[in-house]
């Protein structure tokens, strides 16, 4: 059965999908993108992509065959020499066209995201917008790729360096940001002169496919961007394929450490952004209303399925008296299909995710936490009664030994802890293995300064709940939230997608011979 109100409006005319009928269902299938063409996979293995608000099938996504994946890599390999030869200014112009097309089609991309992933439409637009900012930054690639020069390091000798593309790069993406995370990857990589093979999350392939259509429309030549679909076999293929030089991964810790180990063993560069448990530290001198608003949005927005969601709140001293007001804010949030006007929280990605979240809430209760707000059995409109909804949930009196604290819940569940002092809060957070993001709420500059200095987390917000750096910086998660040597986007992103060649030249304007020297020169 075709799902949801969007299918007729947006999805049916897209080149990357076609109708597929079987004895069981009539659904679109999602194609592969190989060498500039959207092609139907010949595989016999397909996965259903379901609208999380209804569990109706949106599309079927193929587990691409080995031949198809090889064809995608070959296309990228063959396209590389000519793409590298395109002047950097012309590559920038294509990225600038792309930027304009994404901007123009933001509503369509957002609708695809809401249909496949579940988040609210305004949040889906934010997903596209934050990716678009990386594309905007990539428009300036010539400046970003500049090397270094020093003249006259010796008589007539100059040294200069170029940052050159690597060749074929690959990206493996998660379900929670269907547009932003692919846009962290391939636009900058191809702007630098690389060619690309993207494997989107098999749970949300549509946004990547539509972004690829727009890339082609923008002027990205055949073979420069290719898309394969699949799960573990596709990931293993990417890790093992000799032509692929670098892998960008975003997703769970289990997959990220595996891909980093397997990819680097095969001599590739790998950057892995992984799971998180992000803490807010709330001091009693913070602006109460603003802090509680920020905390509520950051804990429950996107149903907690953001790697930078504030999923643990550490109330210091008297700030713990604010917890009841936080609960009241959370209770008022509207939970329904993300396409419904005024929705605050859409569904979580799958029935399995919902089940896991329920289990972790119960584990919290069983292990001694206080359930102040229970989002299990949340009521949603009848039309969405089969969806994977979990309402905002607040657990307090949580301690670091509890499972609900130790695990990344990835749902709309806020665990509240208490600390007597700022030092105690910092110690608690630094003992947690994850280092993606954290935020402190305070009116004390001295407390904020101490926090930013002592906290062992890669991205820190001060009176700001979700401190995702803009693309002229890099996304700098740390500890168990990242493995690799160069972060995503910004200077580090360019670093990841390029290799430096350094030239030492000796141009003389005389014809004097200096004779043979067998010793190392001393300048
Ligand atoms: P996931 O790890 O299940 O899937 C991500 C990708 O890895 C998918 O393309 C999938 O096909 C592949 N994959 C999944 N399991 C695999 C395995 N065992 N071996 C090899 N490949 C595998 O992640 P998800 O559930 O799609 O995304 C949610 C996770 O991503 C959360 O842990 C979240 O914190 C994390 N995340 C991190 C960031 C960040 O920047 N740190 C950003 C977004 C999401």
């Amino acid at each position: 059965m075709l799902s949801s109100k969007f299918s007729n409006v947006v999805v049916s005319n897209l080149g990357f999908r076609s109708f597929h009928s079987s004895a069981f269902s009539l659904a679109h299938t999602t194609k592969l993108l190989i060498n500039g063409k959207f092609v139907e996979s010949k595989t016999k293995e397909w996965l259903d992509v379901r609208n999380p608000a209804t569990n109706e099938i949106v599309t079927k996504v193929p587990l691409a065959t080995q031949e198809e994946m090889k064809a995608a890599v070959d296309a990228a390999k063959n396209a590389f020499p000519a793409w590298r030869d395109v002047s950097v200014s012309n590559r920038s112009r294509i990225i600038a066209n792309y930027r304009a097309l994404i901007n123009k089609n933001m509503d369509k991309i957002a609708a695809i995201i809401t249909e496949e992933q579940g988040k609210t439409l305004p949040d889906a637009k934010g997903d596209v917008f934050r990716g678009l900012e990386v594309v905007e930054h990539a428009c300036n690639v010539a400046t970003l790729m500049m090397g270094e020069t020093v003249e006259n390091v010796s008589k007539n000798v100059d040294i200069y360096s170029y940052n050159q593309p690597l060749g074929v790069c690959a990206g493996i993406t998660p379900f929670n940001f269907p547009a932003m995370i692919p846009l962290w990857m391939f636009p900058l990589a191809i702007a630098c002169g690389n060619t690309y093979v993207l494997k989107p999350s098999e749970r949300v392939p549509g946004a990547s496919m539509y972004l690829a259509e727009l890339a082609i429309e923008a002027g990205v030549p055949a073979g420069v961007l290719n898309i394969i679909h699949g799960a573990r076999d596709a990931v293993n293929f990417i890790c093992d394929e000799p032509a692929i030089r670098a892998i960008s991964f975003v997703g769970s810790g289990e997959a990220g450490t595996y891909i980093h180990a397997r990819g680097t063993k095969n001599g590739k560069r790998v950057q892995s952004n992984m799971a998180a448990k992000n803490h807010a530290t709330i001091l009693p001198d913070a602006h109460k209303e603003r802090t509680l608003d920020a905390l509520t949005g950051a804990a429950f927005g996107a149903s907690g399925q953001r790697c930078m969601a504030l999923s643990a709140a550490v109330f210091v001293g008297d700030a713990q008296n604010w917890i009841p007001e936080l609960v009241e804010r959370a209770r008022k949030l509207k939970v329904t299909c993300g396409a419904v006007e005024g929705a605050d929280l859409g569904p979580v990605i799958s029935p399995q995710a919902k089940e896991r979240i329920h289990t972790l809430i119960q584990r919290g209760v069983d292990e001694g936490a206080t359930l102040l707000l229970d989002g299990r059995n949340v009521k949603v409109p009848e039309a969405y009664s089969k969806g994977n909804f979990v309402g905002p949930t607040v657990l307090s009196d949580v301690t670091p030994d509890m499972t609900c604290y130790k695990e990344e819940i990835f749902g709309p569940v806020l665990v509240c802890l208490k600390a007597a002092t700022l030092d105690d809060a910092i110690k608690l957070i630094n003992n947690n293995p994850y280092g993606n993001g954290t935020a402190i709420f305070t009116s004390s500059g001295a407390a904020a300064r101490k926090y930013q200095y002592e906290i062992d987390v890669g991205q820190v917000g001060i009176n700001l709940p979700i401190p995702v750096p803009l693309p002229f910086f890099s996304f700098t998660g740390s500890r168990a939230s990242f493995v690799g040597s160069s972060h995503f986007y910004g200077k580090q992103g360019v670093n990841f997608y390029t290799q430096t060649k350094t030239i030492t030249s000796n141009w003389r304007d005389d014809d004097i011979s200096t004779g043979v020297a067998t010793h190392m020169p001393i300048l």
Side-chain angles (χ1 to χ4, degrees):
M1 204 199 319
L2 268 183
S3 96
S4 112
K5 46 183 75 66
F6 298 121
S7 300
N8 299 331
V9 184
V10 185
V11 179
S12 52
N13 290 330
L14 302 179
F16 63 80
R17 283 189 185 158
S18 63
F19 277 100
H20 167 91
S21 55
S22 73
F24 314 105
S25 66
L26 174 64
H28 295 98
T29 54
T30 296
K31 296 184 181 178
L32 307 165
L33 173 61
I34 300 175
N35 204 22
K37 298 232 160 24
F38 289 104
V39 292
E40 189 81 16
S41 175
K42 295 196 165 56
T43 185
K44 293 194 166 52
E45 294 178 277
W46 297 79
L47 302 175
D48 292 341
V49 174
R50 290 175 185 271
N51 181 333
T54 59
N55 274 308
E56 290 172 352
I57 295 175
V58 179
T59 182
K60 287 179 173 292
V61 68
L63 301 183
T65 64
Q66 292 292 322
E67 294 70 34
E68 288 163 344
M69 295 192 283
K70 185 82 179 100
V73 171
D74 286 348
K77 199 171 152 186
N78 294 337
F80 175 62
W83 179 239
R84 187 197 160 188
D85 273 358
V86 172
S87 73
V88 68
S89 309
N90 280 337
R91 293 202 308 262
S92 291
R93 283 182 196 109
I94 290 173
I95 301 295
N97 293 342
Y98 191 39
R99 175 198 173 274
L101 285 170
I102 295 172
N103 210 16
K104 188 172 145 205
N105 292 286
M106 193 175 296
D107 287 350
K108 285 190 193 171
I109 308 168
I112 294 170
I113 292 173
T114 297
E115 184 177 48
E116 290 187 357
Q117 199 274 352
K119 65 177 70 175
T120 67
L121 273 175
D123 199 36
K125 273 196 209 177
D127 186 331
V128 183
F129 186 79
R130 296 307 297 263
L132 177 63
E133 289 181 309
V134 182
V135 178
E136 282 171 358
H137 194 58
C139 291
N140 206 15
V141 69
T143 311
L144 299 173
M145 286 181 77
M146 276 181 178
E148 297 174 311
T149 65
V150 175
E151 73 174 357
N152 217 31
V153 295
S154 178
K155 182 81 178 141
N156 296 313
V157 177
D158 304 322
I159 305 187
Y160 48 96
S161 64
Y162 293 113
N163 294 316
Q164 298 187 325
L166 299 172
V168 182
C169 301
I172 301 166
T173 60
F175 81 84
N176 65 328
F177 283 102
M180 179 182 83
I181 290 177
L183 291 174
W184 282 1
M185 299 178 178
F186 70 83
L188 187 58
I190 67 176
C192 289
N194 299 288
T195 55
Y196 215 81
V197 177
L198 178 69
K199 192 210 84 65
S201 167
E202 63 277 27
R203 298 193 269 185
V204 292
S208 288
M209 297 309 290
Y210 189 43
L211 286 168
E213 269 201 19
L214 296 177
I216 292 167
E217 195 180 333
V220 171
V224 171
L225 173 63
N226 304 274
I227 300 192
I228 59 174
H229 298 293
R232 187 137 180 155
D233 284 352
V235 167
N236 287 341
F237 172 85
I238 288 171
C239 291
D240 296 346
E241 165 57 48
I244 292 173
R245 298 281 312 276
I247 303 172
S248 298
F249 169 83
V250 179
S252 63
E254 188 195 344
T257 44
Y258 170 79
I259 289 166
H260 182 264
R262 189 156 174 160
T264 51
K265 189 166 152 266
N266 286 324
K268 301 177 199 311
R269 292 183 182 188
V270 182
Q271 51 178 187
S272 273
N273 268 12
M274 302 180 293
K277 192 87 177 178
N278 307 304
H279 297 71
T281 296
I282 302 107
L283 298 192
D285 65 4
H287 188 294
K288 187 168 86 172
E289 304 301 320
R290 285 206 298 256
T291 300
L292 293 178
D293 287 346
L295 204 48
T296 308
F300 304 113
S303 292
Q305 298 176 117
R306 290 182 185 136
C307 62
M308 288 288 278
L310 283 180
S311 51
V314 185
F315 291 88
V316 178
D318 290 344
Q320 55 193 269
N321 299 329
W322 303 354
I323 295 176
E325 285 179 61
L326 176 78
V327 171
E328 283 323 300
R329 277 172 168 75
R331 196 190 301 282
K332 288 187 189 131
L333 296 173
K334 185 168 163 183
V335 183
T336 182
C337 169
V340 171
E341 182 129 11
D344 292 308
L345 277 74
V348 298
I349 188 70
S350 63
Q352 294 75 13
K354 176 177 167 175
E355 191 52 43
R356 181 177 170 273
I357 295 164
H358 280 197
T359 305
L360 285 166
I361 294 170
Q362 191 54 46
R363 286 287 289 274
V365 174
D366 296 346
E367 292 172 12
T370 309
L371 186 56
L372 297 178
L373 182 64
D374 187 356
R376 296 173 293 181
N377 303 318
V378 64
K379 292 274 166 294
V380 293
E382 183 53 32
Y384 308 113
S385 57
K386 296 206 172 91
N388 319 315
F389 292 94
V390 183
T393 299
V394 181
L395 286 162
S396 80
D397 303 310
V398 171
T399 51
D401 54 318
M402 293 181 186
T403 314
C404 65
Y405 176 76
K406 287 193 282 193
E407 294 224 0
E408 181 190 46
I409 300 177
F410 226 55
V413 181
L414 180 66
V415 300
C416 299
L417 299 97
K418 291 166 188 163
T421 63
L422 176 58
D423 279 312
D424 291 342
I426 292 172
K427 198 165 155 201
L428 184 145
I429 296 165
N430 287 350
N431 275 336
N432 186 284
Y434 295 111
N436 218 31
T438 185
I440 184 169
F441 296 90
T442 179
S443 59
S444 160
R449 170 67 175 70
K450 176 182 169 70
Y451 195 76
Q452 76 180 33
Y453 186 69
E454 292 184 13
I455 206 76
D456 192 4
V457 174
Q459 304 176 107
V460 181
I462 297 174
N463 296 322
L464 186 136
I466 304 192
V468 174
L470 290 186
F472 18 91
F473 293 87
S474 298
F475 189 102
T476 53
S478 63
R479 297 196 282 138
S481 299
F482 177 74
V483 60
S485 50
S486 281
H487 286 286
F488 282 82
Y489 62 77
K491 283 190 195 128
Q492 296 202 35
V494 174
N495 199 30
F496 184 75
Y497 288 127
T498 57
Q499 58 193 352
T500 305
K501 183 182 281 176
T502 309
I503 293 125
T504 305
S505 73
N506 180 5
W507 290 106
R508 299 177 60 135
D509 61 2
D510 57 44
D511 59 359
I512 301 164
S513 173
T514 46
V516 174
T518 55
H519 58 275
M520 305 271 284
I522 299 171
L523 303 178

